Amino acid sequence: VVGSDRVATLLSRFKSVAPGAVVGTVWLNGALAGRIDLAGELDTAVTFVVEDGRIARIYAIRNPHKLARLDEEATLSR
Amino acid sequence: MTDDPFVTHRSLLFTVAYEMLGSAADAEDVVQETWLRWADVDRAEVRDPRAYLVRIVTRQALNRLRTLARRREDYVGEWLPEPLLTSPDVAEDVELAESVSIAMLTVLETLGPPSARSSCCARCSTCPTPTSLQRSTRRRPRPGRSPTGPGSTWPRGGRGYRSIVPSSSRWSTGSWRRCGPVICRCCSTCSHPTWCWSPTVAARWPLPASGGGQ
């Protein structure tokens, strides 16, 4: 979905598409991200690419295999 | 056994593996494999355990990437990395946060051969002398050739990496573009050669005739 108008239209309908969804924030990969819980379980991780202070892309990750470890914080270092 | 270098550097090893693979599960496996290798090593022979461990983990991750690359070729839609739950502290380390950002990992996936990509990530994440990056050659399309045409080593997809990588980041301010396969060139300038990726990658991506090969 490309274009701010179309994305905004889509997001404005979110409530009716997923009535029971609980949306929260979470730190993912060193950035603020969103999590959407459906029926008490993590359903979607939403990450943002911010460019010049504006959201350039929104990635939604729903693959359950990729969300399996999100209950435990990873320690990163260099 | 808290003074075991492996334990000390475990989170670094995980970070390197994750940056290369974009998957926490695979990164964890690779770190385990690294431990197995490390357990067999004669420690007295190792001068710099940190560099040595990073090298093992890079190689193991590269092996894993080759296997994964085949699987991801059949991936439906755009491949996205496995997100990682991080502490807010990570965001304060701008370089670290950037190197593990979803945007960066997604871009790296679109880069061609895994070897090029891994040399790039391993390099950027571990090299203590980032200035050597600046000296490496800019990755430009050759004149008259489409940067995304056949045989191109540029990120696939046409839309390119620019729009994915935050413009405020150092990646889009120039160093990223120098950070493709030709990254190997800066191995020769690096003050920590053990941290650089193998010469086979360099051989596969011959250095351009012109440009600084310091």
Side-chain angles (χ1 to χ4, degrees):
Chain A
V1 185
V2 182
S4 51
D5 290 343
R6 295 179 67 183
V7 172
T9 310
L10 182 72
L11 291 183
S12 67
R13 289 192 200 138
F14 180 73
K15 262 264 183 284
S16 56
V17 174
V22 180
V23 182
T25 55
V26 63
W27 286 94
L28 295 181
N29 295 52
L32 203 55
R35 63 174 289 162
I36 300 171
D37 290 85
L38 273 180
E41 274 187 38
L42 174 62
D43 179 79
T44 308
V46 186
T47 62
F48 306 96
V49 180
V50 178
E51 216 172 296
D52 299 327
R54 303 174 72 179
I55 294 173
R57 269 165 198 261
I58 302 174
Y59 289 122
I61 298 158
R62 301 195 63 200
N63 183 341
H65 296 297
K66 290 185 180 179
L67 301 179
R69 290 157 164 261
L70 282 191
D71 45 1
E72 198 181 323
E73 211 169 80
T75 44
L76 301 177
S77 73
R78 56 172 62 243
Chain B
M1 282 287 278
T2 45
D3 56 348
D4 185 337
F6 180 85
V7 178
T8 315
H9 300 302
R10 199 179 200 288
S11 58
L12 168 71
L13 302 178
F14 176 81
T15 307
V16 169
Y18 178 72
E19 282 171 2
M20 289 173 67
L21 299 167
S23 155
D26 288 319
E28 200 56 60
D29 284 353
V30 163
V31 171
Q32 294 293 340
E33 283 158 23
T34 303
W35 188 84
L36 291 175
R37 297 286 166 128
W38 177 243
D40 289 340
V41 167
D42 178 6
R43 310 283 166 86
E45 298 273 303
V46 180
R47 264 175 301 154
D48 185 345
R50 186 175 189 265
Y52 193 89
L53 282 166
V54 167
R55 186 144 182 152
I56 303 179
V57 84
T58 310
R59 287 184 173 174
Q60 296 294 330
L62 190 54
N63 286 345
R64 180 62 64 104
L65 262 180
R66 291 203 186 98
T67 321
L68 289 175
R70 268 171 257 145
R71 233 188 286 161
R72 286 179 191 169
E73 261 173 30
D74 304 325
Y75 203 87
V76 178
E78 187 175 6
W79 179 90
L80 289 174
E82 176 183 343
L84 263 194
L85 189 64
T86 55
S87 75
D89 300 349
V90 172
E92 281 165 28
D93 182 341
V94 176
E95 274 198 17
L96 179 59
E98 199 173 87
S99 67
V100 297
S101 69
I102 296 285
M104 178 56 68
L105 295 171
T106 308
V107 160
L108 288 174
E109 180 63 22
T110 65
L111 274 178
S115 51
R117 172 163 34 126
S118 56
S119 67
C120 175
C121 345
R123 183 85 189 113
C124 304
S125 61
T126 60
C127 185
T129 53
T131 48
S132 60
L133 256 184
Q134 306 294 332
R135 287 204 296 271
S136 64
T137 304
R138 214 171 250 266
R139 197 168 169 228
R140 285 183 188 287
R142 264 173 267 162
R145 255 188 91 177
S146 161
T148 51
S152 164
T153 57
W154 279 65
R156 291 188 297 265
R159 270 176 299 170
Y161 54 96
R162 264 175 175 284
S163 58
I164 307 177
V165 178
S167 59
S168 55
S169 74
R170 75 197 154 92
W171 297 104
S172 55
T173 54
S175 31
W176 165 248
R177 293 198 289 164
R178 296 164 212 190
C179 184
V182 286
I183 194 71
C184 310
R185 137 193 307 280
C186 64
C187 290
S188 58
T189 70
C190 181
S191 57
H192 294 251
T194 47
W195 287 28
C196 294
W197 189 232
S198 85
T200 54
V201 179
R204 205 159 152 196
W205 300 99
L207 304 180
S210 61
Q214 305 94 335

